Amino acid sequence: SSDLSAFWALGGVALSLCRVQAPPKGAAMSDADDDADDGDGFLQDTPIKKDMPADHGPRDKEGMAYERHTTSYVRLAATMQDLRRTKAEQTEKLNATDPNLRFGSAAEAIRFILRSRYGSVVKGWRIAMDVRGVHILTANDFFKVLRKIGYGGDVKQAWNELGGESRGKVTLADIDPRAAQVLADYYRGFREHVNQMPKLVAGVDAKRIGWDIFFERSTPITLAGETVDLQAAFNNLQSGDGYVTEDDCLWLEYFVERKPRPPPKSEKQIEEELRVQELQDHKKKISRQQALRDFKELLKHRFGSVVAGWRRVLDQDGEGQVTWQMFQEGAKSLGFKGDLDGIWEELLEEEDEFLVLEQLEPNVLQAKASFIDACVDRFGSVDQAFVAFDAPQKPLVSQQEYNLLCVEINMEKSRKLLFEYADRKGVDMISLEALDKEAATRVFGGPALAVAQDQLGGMEPPSRARKSLLQRAAEQSEKTRKPMDTSSSNRKELVQMLEDKFRSPIRAWALLLDVHAKGKLKRKEFLTGISVLGYTGNTSKLWEEMDLKPKSSIRFKDLCPECVDEIREFKLLAGKKIVGLIQASEAAAGPGKSKKAGVPVDNDEFFKLLDAIDYPGDEGRLMLHLDPGESGHISTRTLRILNDQKNEEKAITQYLKKFRDAQKTQLEQKIAAVVVPPKKELIAKQDKLLQTGREERKSKIEGAAAKTEFLKALNEKFGSVAKAWRLALDPENAKSIENSDKLIKGLKRAGQVPEGGDSALRKKAEQLFEVLAPQETGVISLEDLDPLTPEMMEKLKDHCELRFGSVQEAFEHYDPEGTGIISKTAFKAMCQEVQLIQAVHRLCDFLDPKGTDNIVLAHIDADVALDARKAVEAREAAKKAHLDEMKAKGLHHMLAETKPLGVACGVEHAAQERAKKPGLQTVAELKSKLIRKHGTLARAWRHVHKNTRKDISKDGFLLFFKEVGMDKKQLDVAWEEVPKSEKRQRLILAKFDPGIAEDFKELRAKIDQRFGSMKAMFLEMDTDGSMKLDAKRFLEMCYECQLSGNERRLFDFLDRKDEKVIHLKEIDAKVAKQ
């Protein structure tokens, strides 16, 4: 200080003037002396000059009376007091930054540094001190670490205090014994009462949990009586910002078990472990599913169904849910030896504690939904179904009444399962409340349902005592036993088998039994034939039933006399009408047909004959008898044989023989067609075919070359083939060239006259006509020369219909005067308006080949152009008549045109709204039916159009009507009301179902709120790197984002091709590409 410097400068003068006597040794010092001596730090730090004179300072032991009240001394005391205050402040500040100056031990100082820098001692130990991951520190590592973290004390003394000198190492327990003990107790409690440590964070996103989940999953430790401070364990274990991660759990396991941290794994090792883990999980899942199937099969075998087994073994109290202990006891009582833990894990989520019937047998929910849908389809709603249902004790219904209701609503699948599910007491009586509680409450009211429940509660279920196999066999035998007089006939059984196989016994006789058309069979031949058929009855009784001797032969009348009787009855009733039918059929076939071979009889004429004679039998069966070849018609030859033969049995044998001969002839023809001819004939035939093929190929090549040369010449002279067609080939606009003469005229106009005169010209014309004219039409059209121009003309018409509603409306729009001609500029504007700009120049060359800058609309469509002109003339005439009428009435002020408002209002607006109402109702009905059939509009769109992002026209919109069976007459009004794109007039799914766009917008916003960015969501949710999310992962992501919209509808929209997954590029293509 400046005062101190001045004091030393003037020290000699001041002390020479004042004799200061030092107090004698051992004398008591005053308070002023104490204050002066307190500045030992200053006195010790200030160096004493060695060359100071010996007489400097007081010498005498006796001082003056006023020695402590001099100005210099007072100034010195004040200066020393300021120095002491500054030194105290510096000391306090130093104590705040250097723990060694204020902590009682090295461990306390290290703990303070770790908490200050890393938030907790354990976290600091893991990050800064245990750098090798072996949970101990040797001397060298300890000294380096303490210097690194900023420890200012004696590191060797700290090493000794923490036991390093005696044990050669320092651990976390030496620095913070309480934290180490808390973590050890928590680890052992979790392992003993819960599971492995990694299970602490299993099943959550990002493998990290907060305090709430940590406390919930650690509760079993405290419930088991362990004294573990969970809050302290959480604080010491978490290394993140309030979260415990999977790495924290692994570190705790290695720390307590004293295992060194494993070295980091390579990407290949990680991939291999993931693959092995996936295979193990898949194998485990298959094993669990198989165990579940075995358990359900055991319930079905013991009790008839899963529902019955649930109520009789698992849920005997009827509470509707069972615990793990109840499930285990029930399975043991059944003697089930499978994997009960796997079944429990397969059925329940990790956080679930109770098993319900719907999880064990999910088909009951499907059956219930099927019942409700069937009621809606049949009656319009479940309420109407309950009202229309005829049951005397409603809302109580018996099983028989329930079955009648299911038949009426056309529900056949799972109806037994649904009744068993609703019949909780097994009394064969249920309340409709069990099928649909809300509907039953609306229809019957709460009091009536309560009474029904009381009645059900008073009923006792029938005895369910298990019957022995012998008892069940006896009951079944009693039910199926038939009286002796009603036993089936062996012959009828065989005839039925023949009909089932061949549709007619006569056809079976011809194709299976009497294949050689002999008319009769020996017993051995007959038995061989029916054994091939698969007949396993008693052949001896069959033979006796047909009243045949053992060595007799069998004829068709013995096997099936009913067929003979049916043919005989037809012959007797028809009489001579058979001849008339034969003659009419032969006359209709014409003179070229052989009457002997027979001609087909018209089926309608045959059935008219049967109606005329009132044939009492089966008409279709009779036709099969008379058509053994099953050709679909009866031959006049068969009818002629039947008419000529007096005996119907002989007639059957005879026309079956003719049928066999025809089959044999056809077979011989087929064999002849495939038989290889002799070598010479084959070589000659092949040479002829080869020569013909070469000539045809040469002709095609020459024709193609001539066509190419011809088109090239037209392009060079006229600029385009379409222009050449209009100017040279078809100037009369006849649309086609019918013969070579017209083509000659066109060649002359086009300047395509070859050298050699008229003969060469005709030859060229005939060659070109043969090449250019298709065989189907026999004429040359513009499509044969330039197919693109006619195609563009048709596209122009289609686009005009889409944009203006019709081609006539487009013509009237661009030709308001009705002249039938528009300028080329107007035509280009029309093409641009209808979005057909890629072929404008081609169409202009075709429609205006002479370059007049005028387009004749009749060249586009003559009929439509005429209609447009008539419509314009009619409007002009009506307008003129109206003006004349107004002038005649003197209403000249009414002739001025009203300025448009720009929007509809008043009566016009009301009319527009009334016109919209039917269309809006039709659209609403269409959406409702699509949702009812497919679940969502997105799913319906994908089913009909194969892609949810496809835009559709009116024809595509019509497919929705066909899909749900709606009348297409309502198509036009519905199409007018659906929101479409303004330019192209096409419909997209986002317009058809606006909720999708809102949900998608909300999803993107929620993703930014929850994950911070779209990229962060991709990295977190796409765990396998496939850039895809299945339905489960997508729903988890929507739940994580707290999406309030319809996430399933959004999934159907994003899954554009029904792959059951969505590509992340559908959510954000740019981020997905990055």
PDB file of all heavy atoms in Angstrom, residues 1027-1055:
ATOM      1  N   MET A1027     -36.036 -48.566 -42.965  1.00  0.00           N
ATOM      2  CA  MET A1027     -36.805 -47.402 -43.444  1.00  0.00           C
ATOM      3  C   MET A1027     -38.284 -47.752 -43.584  1.00  0.00           C
ATOM      4  O   MET A1027     -38.986 -47.198 -44.415  1.00  0.00           O
ATOM      5  CB  MET A1027     -36.254 -46.887 -44.778  1.00  0.00           C
ATOM      6  CG  MET A1027     -34.828 -46.409 -44.699  1.00  0.00           C
ATOM      7  SD  MET A1027     -34.605 -45.061 -43.510  1.00  0.00           S
ATOM      8  CE  MET A1027     -35.491 -43.764 -44.333  1.00  0.00           C
ATOM      9  N   LYS A1028     -38.742 -48.676 -42.740  1.00  0.00           N
ATOM     10  CA  LYS A1028     -40.144 -49.080 -42.758  1.00  0.00           C
ATOM     11  C   LYS A1028     -40.644 -49.213 -41.329  1.00  0.00           C
ATOM     12  O   LYS A1028     -39.864 -49.466 -40.411  1.00  0.00           O
ATOM     13  CB  LYS A1028     -40.337 -50.416 -43.480  1.00  0.00           C
ATOM     14  CG  LYS A1028     -39.894 -50.424 -44.932  1.00  0.00           C
ATOM     15  CD  LYS A1028     -40.035 -51.814 -45.530  1.00  0.00           C
ATOM     16  CE  LYS A1028     -39.512 -51.859 -46.960  1.00  0.00           C
ATOM     17  NZ  LYS A1028     -39.601 -53.230 -47.520  1.00  0.00           N
ATOM     18  N   LEU A1029     -41.948 -49.047 -41.144  1.00  0.00           N
ATOM     19  CA  LEU A1029     -42.598 -49.261 -39.847  1.00  0.00           C
ATOM     20  C   LEU A1029     -43.801 -50.156 -40.074  1.00  0.00           C
ATOM     21  O   LEU A1029     -44.627 -49.883 -40.950  1.00  0.00           O
ATOM     22  CB  LEU A1029     -43.053 -47.932 -39.223  1.00  0.00           C
ATOM     23  CG  LEU A1029     -41.977 -46.936 -38.786  1.00  0.00           C
ATOM     24  CD1 LEU A1029     -42.626 -45.696 -38.219  1.00  0.00           C
ATOM     25  CD2 LEU A1029     -41.053 -47.551 -37.763  1.00  0.00           C
ATOM     26  N   ASP A1030     -43.884 -51.249 -39.266  1.00  0.00           N
ATOM     27  CA  ASP A1030     -45.087 -52.053 -39.350  1.00  0.00           C
ATOM     28  C   ASP A1030     -46.195 -51.384 -38.534  1.00  0.00           C
ATOM     29  O   ASP A1030     -46.007 -50.321 -37.924  1.00  0.00           O
ATOM     30  CB  ASP A1030     -44.817 -53.476 -38.865  1.00  0.00           C
ATOM     31  CG  ASP A1030     -44.283 -53.502 -37.450  1.00  0.00           C
ATOM     32  OD1 ASP A1030     -44.310 -52.460 -36.783  1.00  0.00           O
ATOM     33  OD2 ASP A1030     -43.840 -54.559 -37.019  1.00  0.00           O
ATOM     34  N   ALA A1031     -47.382 -52.021 -38.534  1.00  0.00           N
ATOM     35  CA  ALA A1031     -48.537 -51.394 -37.887  1.00  0.00           C
ATOM     36  C   ALA A1031     -48.287 -51.186 -36.396  1.00  0.00           C
ATOM     37  O   ALA A1031     -48.644 -50.151 -35.836  1.00  0.00           O
ATOM     38  CB  ALA A1031     -49.786 -52.245 -38.119  1.00  0.00           C
ATOM     39  N   LYS A1032     -47.651 -52.163 -35.755  1.00  0.00           N
ATOM     40  CA  LYS A1032     -47.441 -52.061 -34.315  1.00  0.00           C
ATOM     41  C   LYS A1032     -46.518 -50.891 -33.979  1.00  0.00           C
ATOM     42  O   LYS A1032     -46.809 -50.089 -33.090  1.00  0.00           O
ATOM     43  CB  LYS A1032     -46.853 -53.369 -33.801  1.00  0.00           C
ATOM     44  CG  LYS A1032     -46.658 -53.393 -32.295  1.00  0.00           C
ATOM     45  CD  LYS A1032     -46.131 -54.739 -31.840  1.00  0.00           C
ATOM     46  CE  LYS A1032     -45.927 -54.748 -30.320  1.00  0.00           C
ATOM     47  NZ  LYS A1032     -45.364 -56.050 -29.863  1.00  0.00           N
ATOM     48  N   ARG A1033     -45.401 -50.786 -34.707  1.00  0.00           N
ATOM     49  CA  ARG A1033     -44.465 -49.697 -34.437  1.00  0.00           C
ATOM     50  C   ARG A1033     -45.086 -48.335 -34.759  1.00  0.00           C
ATOM     51  O   ARG A1033     -44.842 -47.346 -34.071  1.00  0.00           O
ATOM     52  CB  ARG A1033     -43.190 -49.892 -35.259  1.00  0.00           C
ATOM     53  CG  ARG A1033     -42.379 -51.106 -34.830  1.00  0.00           C
ATOM     54  CD  ARG A1033     -41.717 -50.907 -33.505  1.00  0.00           C
ATOM     55  NE  ARG A1033     -40.686 -49.895 -33.525  1.00  0.00           N
ATOM     56  CZ  ARG A1033     -40.122 -49.371 -32.451  1.00  0.00           C
ATOM     57  NH1 ARG A1033     -40.537 -49.727 -31.251  1.00  0.00           N
ATOM     58  NH2 ARG A1033     -39.174 -48.456 -32.560  1.00  0.00           N
ATOM     59  N   PHE A1034     -45.884 -48.288 -35.799  1.00  0.00           N
ATOM     60  CA  PHE A1034     -46.521 -47.021 -36.173  1.00  0.00           C
ATOM     61  C   PHE A1034     -47.516 -46.590 -35.106  1.00  0.00           C
ATOM     62  O   PHE A1034     -47.572 -45.411 -34.728  1.00  0.00           O
ATOM     63  CB  PHE A1034     -47.217 -47.178 -37.525  1.00  0.00           C
ATOM     64  CG  PHE A1034     -47.912 -45.924 -37.990  1.00  0.00           C
ATOM     65  CD1 PHE A1034     -47.198 -44.882 -38.562  1.00  0.00           C
ATOM     66  CD2 PHE A1034     -49.280 -45.762 -37.835  1.00  0.00           C
ATOM     67  CE1 PHE A1034     -47.818 -43.724 -38.987  1.00  0.00           C
ATOM     68  CE2 PHE A1034     -49.910 -44.611 -38.252  1.00  0.00           C
ATOM     69  CZ  PHE A1034     -49.189 -43.593 -38.817  1.00  0.00           C
ATOM     70  N   LEU A1035     -48.298 -47.544 -34.587  1.00  0.00           N
ATOM     71  CA  LEU A1035     -49.258 -47.201 -33.530  1.00  0.00           C
ATOM     72  C   LEU A1035     -48.524 -46.783 -32.263  1.00  0.00           C
ATOM     73  O   LEU A1035     -48.979 -45.889 -31.540  1.00  0.00           O
ATOM     74  CB  LEU A1035     -50.180 -48.386 -33.258  1.00  0.00           C
ATOM     75  CG  LEU A1035     -51.115 -48.788 -34.407  1.00  0.00           C
ATOM     76  CD1 LEU A1035     -51.950 -49.983 -34.032  1.00  0.00           C
ATOM     77  CD2 LEU A1035     -52.006 -47.624 -34.811  1.00  0.00           C
ATOM     78  N   GLU A1036     -47.380 -47.429 -31.957  1.00  0.00           N
ATOM     79  CA  GLU A1036     -46.589 -47.014 -30.805  1.00  0.00           C
ATOM     80  C   GLU A1036     -46.079 -45.587 -30.979  1.00  0.00           C
ATOM     81  O   GLU A1036     -46.087 -44.795 -30.036  1.00  0.00           O
ATOM     82  CB  GLU A1036     -45.412 -47.975 -30.629  1.00  0.00           C
ATOM     83  CG  GLU A1036     -45.811 -49.363 -30.158  1.00  0.00           C
ATOM     84  CD  GLU A1036     -44.627 -50.306 -30.093  1.00  0.00           C
ATOM     85  OE1 GLU A1036     -43.522 -49.892 -30.470  1.00  0.00           O
ATOM     86  OE2 GLU A1036     -44.806 -51.454 -29.664  1.00  0.00           O
ATOM     87  N   MET A1037     -45.659 -45.263 -32.181  1.00  0.00           N
ATOM     88  CA  MET A1037     -45.183 -43.911 -32.452  1.00  0.00           C
ATOM     89  C   MET A1037     -46.311 -42.888 -32.306  1.00  0.00           C
ATOM     90  O   MET A1037     -46.131 -41.822 -31.721  1.00  0.00           O
ATOM     91  CB  MET A1037     -44.586 -43.854 -33.856  1.00  0.00           C
ATOM     92  CG  MET A1037     -43.918 -42.533 -34.211  1.00  0.00           C
ATOM     93  SD  MET A1037     -45.008 -41.455 -35.142  1.00  0.00           S
ATOM     94  CE  MET A1037     -45.006 -42.301 -36.705  1.00  0.00           C
ATOM     95  N   CYS A1038     -47.513 -43.242 -32.806  1.00  0.00           N
ATOM     96  CA  CYS A1038     -48.659 -42.337 -32.670  1.00  0.00           C
ATOM     97  C   CYS A1038     -49.032 -42.162 -31.205  1.00  0.00           C
ATOM     98  O   CYS A1038     -49.393 -41.065 -30.763  1.00  0.00           O
ATOM     99  CB  CYS A1038     -49.847 -42.872 -33.467  1.00  0.00           C
ATOM    100  SG  CYS A1038     -49.595 -42.845 -35.246  1.00  0.00           S
ATOM    101  N   TYR A1039     -48.945 -43.250 -30.408  1.00  0.00           N
ATOM    102  CA  TYR A1039     -49.252 -43.153 -28.980  1.00  0.00           C
ATOM    103  C   TYR A1039     -48.213 -42.291 -28.270  1.00  0.00           C
ATOM    104  O   TYR A1039     -48.548 -41.492 -27.382  1.00  0.00           O
ATOM    105  CB  TYR A1039     -49.301 -44.552 -28.380  1.00  0.00           C
ATOM    106  CG  TYR A1039     -49.549 -44.563 -26.889  1.00  0.00           C
ATOM    107  CD1 TYR A1039     -50.826 -44.406 -26.379  1.00  0.00           C
ATOM    108  CD2 TYR A1039     -48.485 -44.706 -25.988  1.00  0.00           C
ATOM    109  CE1 TYR A1039     -51.046 -44.400 -25.007  1.00  0.00           C
ATOM    110  CE2 TYR A1039     -48.702 -44.706 -24.637  1.00  0.00           C
ATOM    111  CZ  TYR A1039     -49.985 -44.555 -24.145  1.00  0.00           C
ATOM    112  OH  TYR A1039     -50.196 -44.556 -22.810  1.00  0.00           O
ATOM    113  N   GLU A1040     -46.955 -42.455 -28.675  1.00  0.00           N
ATOM    114  CA  GLU A1040     -45.897 -41.651 -28.075  1.00  0.00           C
ATOM    115  C   GLU A1040     -46.108 -40.171 -28.384  1.00  0.00           C
ATOM    116  O   GLU A1040     -45.835 -39.317 -27.530  1.00  0.00           O
ATOM    117  CB  GLU A1040     -44.543 -42.126 -28.611  1.00  0.00           C
ATOM    118  CG  GLU A1040     -43.338 -41.447 -27.995  1.00  0.00           C
ATOM    119  CD  GLU A1040     -43.097 -41.889 -26.564  1.00  0.00           C
ATOM    120  OE1 GLU A1040     -43.660 -42.922 -26.178  1.00  0.00           O
ATOM    121  OE2 GLU A1040     -42.371 -41.205 -25.835  1.00  0.00           O
ATOM    122  N   CYS A1041     -46.595 -39.880 -29.572  1.00  0.00           N
ATOM    123  CA  CYS A1041     -46.827 -38.484 -29.962  1.00  0.00           C
ATOM    124  C   CYS A1041     -48.145 -37.940 -29.438  1.00  0.00           C
ATOM    125  O   CYS A1041     -48.447 -36.760 -29.626  1.00  0.00           O
ATOM    126  CB  CYS A1041     -46.796 -38.357 -31.487  1.00  0.00           C
ATOM    127  SG  CYS A1041     -45.204 -38.733 -32.223  1.00  0.00           S
ATOM    128  N   GLN A1042     -48.974 -38.819 -28.822  1.00  0.00           N
ATOM    129  CA  GLN A1042     -50.299 -38.400 -28.334  1.00  0.00           C
ATOM    130  C   GLN A1042     -51.164 -37.870 -29.483  1.00  0.00           C
ATOM    131  O   GLN A1042     -51.780 -36.809 -29.390  1.00  0.00           O
ATOM    132  CB  GLN A1042     -50.168 -37.351 -27.224  1.00  0.00           C
ATOM    133  CG  GLN A1042     -49.444 -37.848 -25.991  1.00  0.00           C
ATOM    134  CD  GLN A1042     -50.189 -38.968 -25.296  1.00  0.00           C
ATOM    135  OE1 GLN A1042     -51.386 -38.866 -25.029  1.00  0.00           O
ATOM    136  NE2 GLN A1042     -49.501 -40.058 -25.011  1.00  0.00           N
ATOM    137  N   LEU A1043     -51.184 -38.619 -30.584  1.00  0.00           N
ATOM    138  CA  LEU A1043     -51.988 -38.230 -31.745  1.00  0.00           C
ATOM    139  C   LEU A1043     -53.463 -38.400 -31.428  1.00  0.00           C
ATOM    140  O   LEU A1043     -53.901 -39.469 -30.985  1.00  0.00           O
ATOM    141  CB  LEU A1043     -51.610 -39.090 -32.956  1.00  0.00           C
ATOM    142  CG  LEU A1043     -52.357 -38.790 -34.248  1.00  0.00           C
ATOM    143  CD1 LEU A1043     -51.976 -37.419 -34.785  1.00  0.00           C
ATOM    144  CD2 LEU A1043     -52.065 -39.869 -35.300  1.00  0.00           C
ATOM    145  N   SER A1044     -54.247 -37.363 -31.638  1.00  0.00           N
ATOM    146  CA  SER A1044     -55.672 -37.425 -31.337  1.00  0.00           C
ATOM    147  C   SER A1044     -56.495 -37.902 -32.516  1.00  0.00           C
ATOM    148  O   SER A1044     -57.679 -38.186 -32.370  1.00  0.00           O
ATOM    149  CB  SER A1044     -56.168 -36.028 -30.911  1.00  0.00           C
ATOM    150  OG  SER A1044     -55.976 -35.095 -31.962  1.00  0.00           O
ATOM    151  N   GLY A1045     -55.910 -38.007 -33.714  1.00  0.00           N
ATOM    152  CA  GLY A1045     -56.639 -38.426 -34.896  1.00  0.00           C
ATOM    153  C   GLY A1045     -56.754 -39.944 -34.980  1.00  0.00           C
ATOM    154  O   GLY A1045     -56.424 -40.688 -34.050  1.00  0.00           O
ATOM    155  N   ASN A1046     -57.234 -40.405 -36.129  1.00  0.00           N
ATOM    156  CA  ASN A1046     -57.449 -41.827 -36.371  1.00  0.00           C
ATOM    157  C   ASN A1046     -56.160 -42.411 -36.936  1.00  0.00           C
ATOM    158  O   ASN A1046     -55.879 -42.303 -38.128  1.00  0.00           O
ATOM    159  CB  ASN A1046     -58.609 -42.022 -37.358  1.00  0.00           C
ATOM    160  CG  ASN A1046     -59.046 -43.465 -37.453  1.00  0.00           C
ATOM    161  OD1 ASN A1046     -58.251 -44.378 -37.222  1.00  0.00           O
ATOM    162  ND2 ASN A1046     -60.300 -43.692 -37.793  1.00  0.00           N
ATOM    163  N   GLU A1047     -55.362 -43.058 -36.058  1.00  0.00           N
ATOM    164  CA  GLU A1047     -54.071 -43.536 -36.492  1.00  0.00           C
ATOM    165  C   GLU A1047     -54.184 -44.729 -37.434  1.00  0.00           C
ATOM    166  O   GLU A1047     -53.349 -44.909 -38.325  1.00  0.00           O
ATOM    167  CB  GLU A1047     -53.186 -43.904 -35.293  1.00  0.00           C
ATOM    168  CG  GLU A1047     -53.743 -44.987 -34.386  1.00  0.00           C
ATOM    169  CD  GLU A1047     -54.605 -44.423 -33.276  1.00  0.00           C
ATOM    170  OE1 GLU A1047     -54.965 -43.242 -33.359  1.00  0.00           O
ATOM    171  OE2 GLU A1047     -54.934 -45.175 -32.339  1.00  0.00           O
ATOM    172  N   ARG A1048     -55.224 -45.567 -37.289  1.00  0.00           N
ATOM    173  CA  ARG A1048     -55.363 -46.723 -38.181  1.00  0.00           C
ATOM    174  C   ARG A1048     -55.757 -46.284 -39.593  1.00  0.00           C
ATOM    175  O   ARG A1048     -55.287 -46.843 -40.576  1.00  0.00           O
ATOM    176  CB  ARG A1048     -56.402 -47.695 -37.624  1.00  0.00           C
ATOM    177  CG  ARG A1048     -55.981 -48.297 -36.289  1.00  0.00           C
ATOM    178  CD  ARG A1048     -56.909 -49.403 -35.851  1.00  0.00           C
ATOM    179  NE  ARG A1048     -56.498 -49.949 -34.559  1.00  0.00           N
ATOM    180  CZ  ARG A1048     -55.574 -50.883 -34.405  1.00  0.00           C
ATOM    181  NH1 ARG A1048     -54.979 -51.379 -35.473  1.00  0.00           N
ATOM    182  NH2 ARG A1048     -55.257 -51.323 -33.211  1.00  0.00           N
ATOM    183  N   ARG A1049     -56.620 -45.288 -39.674  1.00  0.00           N
ATOM    184  CA  ARG A1049     -56.957 -44.750 -40.994  1.00  0.00           C
ATOM    185  C   ARG A1049     -55.723 -44.134 -41.643  1.00  0.00           C
ATOM    186  O   ARG A1049     -55.497 -44.297 -42.850  1.00  0.00           O
ATOM    187  CB  ARG A1049     -58.063 -43.709 -40.840  1.00  0.00           C
ATOM    188  CG  ARG A1049     -58.423 -42.994 -42.143  1.00  0.00           C
ATOM    189  CD  ARG A1049     -59.532 -42.003 -41.925  1.00  0.00           C
ATOM    190  NE  ARG A1049     -59.133 -40.939 -41.014  1.00  0.00           N
ATOM    191  CZ  ARG A1049     -59.935 -39.967 -40.613  1.00  0.00           C
ATOM    192  NH1 ARG A1049     -61.188 -39.925 -41.026  1.00  0.00           N
ATOM    193  NH2 ARG A1049     -59.501 -39.032 -39.776  1.00  0.00           N
ATOM    194  N   LEU A1050     -54.907 -43.465 -40.865  1.00  0.00           N
ATOM    195  CA  LEU A1050     -53.691 -42.852 -41.387  1.00  0.00           C
ATOM    196  C   LEU A1050     -52.705 -43.916 -41.848  1.00  0.00           C
ATOM    197  O   LEU A1050     -52.033 -43.757 -42.866  1.00  0.00           O
ATOM    198  CB  LEU A1050     -53.057 -41.965 -40.307  1.00  0.00           C
ATOM    199  CG  LEU A1050     -51.939 -41.019 -40.749  1.00  0.00           C
ATOM    200  CD1 LEU A1050     -52.417 -40.117 -41.872  1.00  0.00           C
ATOM    201  CD2 LEU A1050     -51.461 -40.179 -39.567  1.00  0.00           C
ATOM    202  N   PHE A1051     -52.632 -45.041 -41.119  1.00  0.00           N
ATOM    203  CA  PHE A1051     -51.740 -46.129 -41.534  1.00  0.00           C
ATOM    204  C   PHE A1051     -52.199 -46.710 -42.871  1.00  0.00           C
ATOM    205  O   PHE A1051     -51.388 -46.983 -43.751  1.00  0.00           O
ATOM    206  CB  PHE A1051     -51.714 -47.226 -40.460  1.00  0.00           C
ATOM    207  CG  PHE A1051     -50.816 -48.379 -40.801  1.00  0.00           C
ATOM    208  CD1 PHE A1051     -49.458 -48.339 -40.510  1.00  0.00           C
ATOM    209  CD2 PHE A1051     -51.312 -49.501 -41.435  1.00  0.00           C
ATOM    210  CE1 PHE A1051     -48.621 -49.383 -40.836  1.00  0.00           C
ATOM    211  CE2 PHE A1051     -50.487 -50.556 -41.759  1.00  0.00           C
ATOM    212  CZ  PHE A1051     -49.149 -50.494 -41.458  1.00  0.00           C
ATOM    213  N   ASP A1052     -53.519 -46.912 -43.033  1.00  0.00           N
ATOM    214  CA  ASP A1052     -54.032 -47.432 -44.301  1.00  0.00           C
ATOM    215  C   ASP A1052     -53.725 -46.480 -45.445  1.00  0.00           C
ATOM    216  O   ASP A1052     -53.455 -46.901 -46.578  1.00  0.00           O
ATOM    217  CB  ASP A1052     -55.546 -47.646 -44.199  1.00  0.00           C
ATOM    218  CG  ASP A1052     -55.895 -48.787 -43.271  1.00  0.00           C
ATOM    219  OD1 ASP A1052     -55.052 -49.667 -43.057  1.00  0.00           O
ATOM    220  OD2 ASP A1052     -57.008 -48.786 -42.743  1.00  0.00           O
ATOM    221  N   PHE A1053     -53.748 -45.158 -45.181  1.00  0.00           N
ATOM    222  CA  PHE A1053     -53.460 -44.179 -46.222  1.00  0.00           C
ATOM    223  C   PHE A1053     -51.984 -44.221 -46.617  1.00  0.00           C
ATOM    224  O   PHE A1053     -51.640 -44.186 -47.794  1.00  0.00           O
ATOM    225  CB  PHE A1053     -53.850 -42.782 -45.731  1.00  0.00           C
ATOM    226  CG  PHE A1053     -53.391 -41.664 -46.643  1.00  0.00           C
ATOM    227  CD1 PHE A1053     -53.969 -41.483 -47.886  1.00  0.00           C
ATOM    228  CD2 PHE A1053     -52.388 -40.802 -46.249  1.00  0.00           C
ATOM    229  CE1 PHE A1053     -53.553 -40.477 -48.721  1.00  0.00           C
ATOM    230  CE2 PHE A1053     -51.957 -39.774 -47.074  1.00  0.00           C
ATOM    231  CZ  PHE A1053     -52.557 -39.619 -48.318  1.00  0.00           C
ATOM    232  N   LEU A1054     -51.100 -44.302 -45.635  1.00  0.00           N
ATOM    233  CA  LEU A1054     -49.663 -44.297 -45.916  1.00  0.00           C
ATOM    234  C   LEU A1054     -49.192 -45.623 -46.496  1.00  0.00           C
ATOM    235  O   LEU A1054     -48.211 -45.669 -47.230  1.00  0.00           O
ATOM    236  CB  LEU A1054     -48.882 -43.976 -44.641  1.00  0.00           C
ATOM    237  CG  LEU A1054     -49.117 -42.571 -44.055  1.00  0.00           C
ATOM    238  CD1 LEU A1054     -48.406 -42.420 -42.728  1.00  0.00           C
ATOM    239  CD2 LEU A1054     -48.655 -41.494 -45.022  1.00  0.00           C
ATOM    240  N   ASP A1055     -49.901 -46.738 -46.172  1.00  0.00           N
ATOM    241  CA  ASP A1055     -49.580 -48.041 -46.750  1.00  0.00           C
ATOM    242  C   ASP A1055     -50.266 -48.127 -48.110  1.00  0.00           C
ATOM    243  O   ASP A1055     -51.267 -48.791 -48.295  1.00  0.00           O
ATOM    244  CB  ASP A1055     -50.059 -49.158 -45.815  1.00  0.00           C
ATOM    245  CG  ASP A1055     -49.705 -50.528 -46.357  1.00  0.00           C
ATOM    246  OD1 ASP A1055     -48.846 -50.623 -47.248  1.00  0.00           O
ATOM    247  OD2 ASP A1055     -50.318 -51.511 -45.905  1.00  0.00           O
TER     248      ASP A1055
END
